[in-house]
Amino acid sequence: MTDLPISGFTAPGFEPVQETFEANFADDAELGAGFSAFLDGELIVDLQGGFADRSKTHIWTTSTIVPVYSTTKPIAALTLAHVIDALPAGYETPVADLWPEFGANGKGEITIAELVSHQAGLPGFVDPIDPALWLDPEACAAALAPLAPLWEPGSAHGYHPLTWGYLIGEIVRRIDGRSLGTVLREDIARPAGIDFQIGTPDADHHRVAEIMRPRALPDLGEINEATRAAFLTKWAAPDRGGAIWRQIEIPSANGIGTAKAVAELYGIYAHDGMLAEKRVISEASFDALTQSRVKGQDLVLPYVTEFAAGVMRNNLGLYGPNPETLCHSGWGGSLALGDPDRRLSAAYVMNRQSNSLQADPRATRLIQALYGCL
């Protein structure tokens, strides 16, 4: 046992998960963290530990919420799937049919499916922008629409770390009339009592954990134009963590919630589009959401990646043993998964970031311990 504050619930038979969670703190790899898992819709693990602030004065509790960065993306993808039935062609609808300005520079045939599976060739801004543009989602989407793609759309894929959220956010707004964060809150999260938001109001900011950023950059492999635009320019990202950044909606990057909430939402992937025995995504749209769209060498990340319509598939076995698992990681180490064969979902969140692009060792140990108990 560690002297750090650790609390929560562990179902009988899953004690090795709690032991692993505690060991992460004993190894001084954590500041504050949460880990939760559901099996067949039942909560089996819900752990909190450490501190919500860098000065170690506020204990991490069940009410502590934290940014999960790109682990947000599959939750945004669920939200798109929730509304896409309004389009007769669904994911095969050309984006320009909804958003004519997007069709500029040869992008008129890009479908929603291609865009959300990182095939559109828009991983970042090549030419300089004011980084404050990222803090105005509608203006940022409007600035992305006319850009020329960095590769022929549909011919390859490359991860869109930040731009993805502005593009999918605009698509949802044009389908439904509401913002993506509003649809998520009103139709999915709030009715189920799930403590997760994309666009967090001021009233909740006092609950947000402080982030301790990594001391080193991740290994991005060989740098090319797409990688540089995505990650390495001076204008590649906004100032993360301020009040405005929390308030606005960035469906690729600023979802904020608890580990339990993230695991509940990824549980939709483990239950064929159902949440708490209620269907939130039609069977047809869920099938379209989760089918493999691309698999191969990523043009931005130094991996072979496999994407469905906005969620990763477990092609490298980094998220448990099942290749059918739907999953994603976030900047600094957060991770979540939904395993449809086991009807298992799990999420790890924390505020001491590492420089791992995916499969942070802390999260990997927890996932291995979890599967070892099944």
Side-chain angles (χ1 to χ4, degrees), residues 140-193:
C140 191
L144 288 166
L147 295 183
L150 295 185
W151 60 83
E152 181 182 350
S155 68
H157 71 283
Y159 185 57
H160 291 44
L162 201 53
T163 57
W164 186 94
Y166 297 85
L167 297 168
I168 190 176
E170 186 65 17
I171 289 169
V172 168
R173 187 175 70 83
R174 288 175 182 252
I175 293 172
D176 184 82
R178 294 174 291 170
S179 72
L180 186 150
T182 301
V183 175
L184 172 64
R185 181 177 63 254
E186 294 182 349
D187 293 4
I188 300 174
R190 183 184 289 167

Coordinates of all heavy atoms in Angstrom, one line a residue, residues 140-193:
C140 N -12.4 28.8 -36.8 CA -11.4 27.8 -37.1 C -11.9 26.8 -38.2 O -11.2 26.5 -39.2 CB -10.9 27.0 -35.9 SG -9.5 26.0 -36.1
A141 N -13.1 26.4 -38.1 CA -13.7 25.5 -39.1 C -13.8 26.2 -40.4 O -13.5 25.6 -41.5 CB -15.1 25.0 -38.6
A142 N -14.2 27.5 -40.4 CA -14.3 28.2 -41.6 C -12.9 28.4 -42.3 O -12.8 28.4 -43.5 CB -14.9 29.6 -41.4
A143 N -11.8 28.5 -41.5 CA -10.5 28.6 -42.0 C -10.0 27.3 -42.6 O -9.1 27.3 -43.5 CB -9.5 29.2 -40.9
L144 N -10.4 26.2 -42.0 CA -10.0 24.9 -42.5 C -10.7 24.5 -43.8 O -10.1 23.8 -44.7 CB -10.3 23.8 -41.5 CG -9.5 23.8 -40.2 CD1 -10.1 22.9 -39.2 CD2 -8.1 23.3 -40.5
A145 N -11.9 25.0 -44.0 CA -12.7 24.5 -45.1 C -12.1 24.8 -46.5 O -12.1 23.9 -47.4 CB -14.1 25.2 -45.1
P146 N -11.4 25.9 -46.8 CA -10.9 26.1 -48.1 C -9.5 25.5 -48.3 O -9.0 25.6 -49.5 CB -10.8 27.6 -48.2 CG -10.6 28.1 -46.8 CD -11.4 27.1 -46.0
L147 N -8.9 24.9 -47.3 CA -7.5 24.5 -47.5 C -7.4 23.3 -48.5 O -8.3 22.5 -48.7 CB -7.0 24.0 -46.1 CG -6.8 25.0 -45.0 CD1 -6.2 24.3 -43.8 CD2 -6.0 26.2 -45.4
A148 N -6.2 23.3 -49.1 CA -5.9 22.2 -50.0 C -5.4 21.0 -49.2 O -4.6 21.2 -48.2 CB -4.8 22.6 -51.0
P149 N -5.8 19.8 -49.5 CA -5.3 18.7 -48.7 C -3.8 18.4 -48.9 O -3.3 18.7 -50.0 CB -6.2 17.5 -49.2 CG -6.6 18.0 -50.6 CD -6.7 19.4 -50.5
L150 N -3.2 17.8 -47.9 CA -1.7 17.5 -48.0 C -1.5 16.2 -48.8 O -0.3 15.9 -49.1 CB -1.1 17.5 -46.6 CG -1.1 18.8 -45.9 CD1 -0.3 18.7 -44.6 CD2 -0.5 19.9 -46.7
W151 N -2.5 15.4 -49.0 CA -2.4 14.2 -49.8 C -3.7 14.0 -50.5 O -4.7 14.7 -50.1 CB -2.0 13.0 -49.0 CG -2.9 12.6 -47.9 CD1 -4.1 11.9 -48.0 CD2 -2.8 12.9 -46.5 NE1 -4.7 11.7 -46.8 CE2 -3.9 12.4 -45.9 CE3 -1.9 13.7 -45.8 CZ2 -4.1 12.5 -44.5 CZ3 -2.1 13.8 -44.4 CH2 -3.2 13.2 -43.8
E152 N -3.8 13.2 -51.5 CA -5.0 13.0 -52.2 C -6.0 12.3 -51.3 O -5.8 11.2 -50.8 CB -4.8 12.1 -53.4 CG -6.0 11.8 -54.2 CD -5.8 10.9 -55.4 OE1 -4.6 10.6 -55.7 OE2 -6.8 10.4 -56.0
P153 N -7.1 13.0 -51.0 CA -8.1 12.4 -50.0 C -8.5 11.0 -50.5 O -8.8 10.7 -51.6 CB -9.2 13.4 -50.1 CG -8.6 14.7 -50.5 CD -7.5 14.3 -51.5
G154 N -8.6 10.1 -49.5 CA -9.0 8.8 -49.7 C -7.8 7.8 -50.1 O -8.0 6.6 -50.1
S155 N -6.7 8.4 -50.5 CA -5.6 7.6 -50.9 C -4.7 7.1 -49.8 O -3.9 6.1 -49.9 CB -4.7 8.4 -51.9 OG -4.0 9.4 -51.3
A156 N -4.8 7.7 -48.6 CA -4.0 7.4 -47.5 C -4.7 8.0 -46.3 O -5.6 8.8 -46.4 CB -2.6 7.9 -47.7
H157 N -4.1 7.8 -45.1 CA -4.6 8.4 -43.9 C -3.5 8.9 -43.0 O -2.4 8.3 -43.0 CB -5.5 7.4 -43.1 CG -4.8 6.3 -42.4 ND1 -4.4 5.2 -43.1 CD2 -4.5 6.1 -41.1 CE1 -3.8 4.4 -42.3 NE2 -3.9 4.9 -41.0
G158 N -3.8 9.9 -42.3 CA -2.8 10.5 -41.4 C -3.6 11.2 -40.2 O -4.5 11.9 -40.5
Y159 N -3.2 10.9 -39.1 CA -3.9 11.4 -37.9 C -4.0 12.9 -37.8 O -3.1 13.6 -38.1 CB -3.2 10.9 -36.6 CG -3.8 11.1 -35.3 CD1 -5.1 10.7 -35.1 CD2 -3.2 11.8 -34.3 CE1 -5.7 10.9 -33.9 CE2 -3.8 12.1 -33.1 CZ -5.1 11.6 -32.9 OH -5.7 11.8 -31.7
H160 N -5.3 13.4 -37.6 CA -5.6 14.8 -37.5 C -5.8 15.1 -36.0 O -6.9 15.0 -35.4 CB -6.9 15.1 -38.2 CG -6.8 15.0 -39.7 ND1 -6.2 14.0 -40.4 CD2 -7.3 15.8 -40.7 CE1 -6.3 14.1 -41.7 NE2 -7.0 15.3 -41.9
P161 N -4.7 15.4 -35.2 CA -4.8 15.5 -33.8 C -5.8 16.6 -33.3 O -6.5 16.4 -32.3 CB -3.4 15.8 -33.3 CG -2.7 16.4 -34.5 CD -3.3 15.7 -35.7
L162 N -5.8 17.7 -34.0 CA -6.7 18.8 -33.5 C -7.8 19.2 -34.5 O -8.9 19.4 -34.1 CB -5.8 20.0 -33.1 CG -6.4 21.1 -32.2 CD1 -6.8 20.5 -30.9 CD2 -5.3 22.1 -31.9
T163 N -7.4 19.3 -35.7 CA -8.3 19.8 -36.8 C -9.6 18.9 -36.8 O -10.7 19.4 -37.1 CB -7.7 19.9 -38.1 OG1 -7.2 18.6 -38.5 CG2 -6.5 20.9 -38.2
W164 N -9.4 17.6 -36.6 CA -10.5 16.7 -36.6 C -11.7 17.2 -35.9 O -12.9 17.0 -36.3 CB -10.0 15.3 -36.1 CG -10.9 14.2 -36.2 CD1 -11.0 13.2 -37.2 CD2 -11.9 13.8 -35.2 NE1 -11.9 12.3 -36.9 CE2 -12.5 12.6 -35.7 CE3 -12.4 14.3 -34.0 CZ2 -13.6 11.9 -35.0 CZ3 -13.4 13.7 -33.4 CH2 -14.0 12.5 -33.8
G165 N -11.5 17.7 -34.7 CA -12.6 18.1 -33.9 C -13.4 19.3 -34.4 O -14.6 19.3 -34.3
Y166 N -12.7 20.2 -35.0 CA -13.4 21.4 -35.6 C -14.2 21.0 -36.8 O -15.3 21.5 -37.1 CB -12.4 22.5 -36.0 CG -11.7 23.0 -34.8 CD1 -10.5 22.3 -34.3 CD2 -12.1 24.1 -34.1 CE1 -9.9 22.8 -33.2 CE2 -11.4 24.6 -33.0 CZ -10.3 23.9 -32.5 OH -9.7 24.4 -31.4
L167 N -13.7 20.0 -37.6 CA -14.4 19.5 -38.8 C -15.6 18.7 -38.4 O -16.7 18.9 -38.9 CB -13.4 18.7 -39.6 CG -12.2 19.4 -40.2 CD1 -11.2 18.5 -40.7 CD2 -12.6 20.5 -41.2
I168 N -15.5 17.8 -37.5 CA -16.7 17.0 -37.1 C -17.7 17.8 -36.3 O -18.9 17.6 -36.5 CB -16.2 15.7 -36.2 CG1 -17.4 14.8 -36.0 CG2 -15.7 16.1 -34.9 CD1 -17.0 13.5 -35.3
G169 N -17.2 18.8 -35.5 CA -18.1 19.7 -34.9 C -19.0 20.5 -35.8 O -20.2 20.6 -35.6
E170 N -18.4 20.9 -36.9 CA -19.2 21.7 -37.9 C -20.2 20.8 -38.6 O -21.3 21.2 -38.9 CB -18.2 22.3 -38.9 CG -18.9 23.2 -39.9 CD -19.5 24.5 -39.3 OE1 -19.2 24.8 -38.2 OE2 -20.4 25.1 -40.0
I171 N -19.8 19.5 -38.9 CA -20.7 18.6 -39.5 C -21.9 18.3 -38.6 O -23.0 18.3 -39.1 CB -19.9 17.3 -39.9 CG1 -18.9 17.5 -41.0 CG2 -20.9 16.1 -40.2 CD1 -18.0 16.4 -41.2
V172 N -21.7 18.0 -37.4 CA -22.8 17.8 -36.5 C -23.7 19.0 -36.4 O -24.9 18.9 -36.4 CB -22.3 17.4 -35.1 CG1 -23.4 17.4 -34.0 CG2 -21.6 16.0 -35.1
R173 N -23.1 20.2 -36.3 CA -23.9 21.4 -36.3 C -24.8 21.6 -37.5 O -26.0 21.9 -37.4 CB -23.0 22.6 -36.1 CG -23.8 23.9 -35.9 CD -22.9 25.1 -35.6 NE -22.1 25.5 -36.8 CZ -22.6 26.3 -37.7 NH1 -23.8 26.8 -37.6 NH2 -21.9 26.6 -38.8
R174 N -24.3 21.2 -38.7 CA -25.0 21.3 -39.9 C -26.1 20.2 -40.0 O -27.1 20.4 -40.7 CB -24.1 21.4 -41.1 CG -23.3 22.7 -41.1 CD -22.3 22.8 -42.2 NE -21.6 24.1 -42.2 CZ -21.7 25.0 -43.1 NH1 -22.6 24.9 -44.1 NH2 -21.1 26.2 -42.9
I175 N -25.9 19.1 -39.4 CA -26.9 18.0 -39.5 C -28.0 18.3 -38.5 O -29.2 18.2 -38.9 CB -26.2 16.7 -39.1 CG1 -25.3 16.2 -40.2 CG2 -27.3 15.6 -38.9 CD1 -24.5 15.0 -39.8
D176 N -27.7 18.7 -37.3 CA -28.6 18.7 -36.2 C -29.1 20.1 -35.8 O -30.2 20.3 -35.3 CB -28.0 18.1 -35.0 CG -29.0 18.0 -33.8 OD1 -29.8 17.0 -33.8 OD2 -28.9 18.8 -32.9
G177 N -28.3 21.1 -36.1 CA -28.6 22.5 -35.6 C -28.0 22.9 -34.3 O -27.9 24.0 -34.0
R178 N -27.7 21.9 -33.5 CA -27.1 22.1 -32.2 C -25.6 21.8 -32.3 O -25.2 21.1 -33.2 CB -27.7 21.1 -31.1 CG -29.2 21.4 -30.8 CD -29.7 20.3 -29.8 NE -29.8 19.0 -30.5 CZ -30.1 17.9 -29.8 NH1 -30.2 17.9 -28.5 NH2 -30.2 16.8 -30.5
S179 N -24.8 22.3 -31.4 CA -23.4 22.0 -31.3 C -23.2 20.5 -30.9 O -24.1 19.9 -30.2 CB -22.7 22.9 -30.4 OG -23.0 22.6 -29.0
L180 N -22.1 20.0 -31.2 CA -21.8 18.6 -30.8 C -21.8 18.4 -29.3 O -22.4 17.4 -28.8 CB -20.4 18.1 -31.4 CG -20.0 16.7 -31.3 CD1 -19.2 16.2 -32.4 CD2 -19.4 16.4 -29.9
G181 N -21.2 19.3 -28.6 CA -21.2 19.3 -27.1 C -22.6 19.3 -26.6 O -22.9 18.6 -25.6
T182 N -23.5 20.1 -27.2 CA -24.9 20.2 -26.7 C -25.6 18.9 -27.0 O -26.4 18.4 -26.1 CB -25.6 21.3 -27.4 OG1 -24.9 22.6 -27.2 CG2 -27.1 21.5 -27.0
V183 N -25.4 18.3 -28.2 CA -26.1 17.0 -28.4 C -25.6 15.9 -27.4 O -26.4 15.2 -26.9 CB -25.8 16.5 -29.9 CG1 -26.3 15.1 -30.1 CG2 -26.3 17.5 -30.9
L184 N -24.3 15.9 -27.2 CA -23.8 14.9 -26.2 C -24.4 15.1 -24.9 O -24.8 14.2 -24.2 CB -22.2 15.1 -26.1 CG -21.5 14.3 -25.1 CD1 -21.7 12.8 -25.3 CD2 -20.1 14.7 -25.0
R185 N -24.4 16.4 -24.4 CA -25.0 16.7 -23.1 C -26.5 16.4 -23.0 O -26.9 15.7 -22.0 CB -24.7 18.1 -22.7 CG -25.2 18.5 -21.3 CD -24.9 20.0 -21.0 NE -25.5 20.9 -21.9 CZ -24.9 21.6 -22.9 NH1 -23.6 21.4 -23.1 NH2 -25.6 22.5 -23.7
E186 N -27.2 16.8 -23.9 CA -28.7 16.8 -23.8 C -29.3 15.4 -24.2 O -30.2 14.9 -23.6 CB -29.4 17.8 -24.8 CG -29.1 19.2 -24.3 CD -29.7 20.3 -25.2 OE1 -30.3 19.9 -26.3 OE2 -29.7 21.5 -24.8
D187 N -28.6 14.7 -25.1 CA -29.2 13.4 -25.6 C -28.6 12.2 -25.0 O -29.2 11.1 -25.0 CB -29.1 13.3 -27.1 CG -29.9 14.4 -27.8 OD1 -30.6 15.2 -27.2 OD2 -29.9 14.3 -29.1
I188 N -27.3 12.3 -24.6 CA -26.6 11.1 -24.2 C -26.1 11.2 -22.7 O -26.5 10.3 -21.9 CB -25.4 10.8 -25.1 CG1 -25.8 10.7 -26.6 CG2 -24.6 9.6 -24.6 CD1 -24.7 10.6 -27.6
A189 N -25.3 12.1 -22.4 CA -24.6 12.2 -21.1 C -25.6 12.5 -19.9 O -25.7 11.8 -18.9 CB -23.4 13.1 -21.1
R190 N -26.3 13.6 -20.0 CA -27.1 14.1 -18.9 C -28.2 13.1 -18.6 O -28.5 12.8 -17.4 CB -27.7 15.5 -19.2 CG -28.5 16.0 -18.1 CD -29.1 17.4 -18.4 NE -28.1 18.4 -18.5 CZ -28.4 19.6 -19.0 NH1 -29.5 19.9 -19.6 NH2 -27.4 20.5 -19.1
P191 N -29.0 12.6 -19.6 CA -30.0 11.6 -19.2 C -29.5 10.4 -18.5 O -30.3 9.8 -17.7 CB -30.6 11.2 -20.6 CG -30.3 12.4 -21.5 CD -29.0 12.9 -21.0
A192 N -28.3 10.0 -18.7 CA -27.7 8.8 -18.0 C -26.9 9.2 -16.8 O -26.3 8.3 -16.1 CB -26.8 8.1 -19.0
G193 N -26.9 10.5 -16.5 CA -26.1 11.0 -15.3 C -24.6 10.8 -15.4 O -23.9 10.6 -14.4

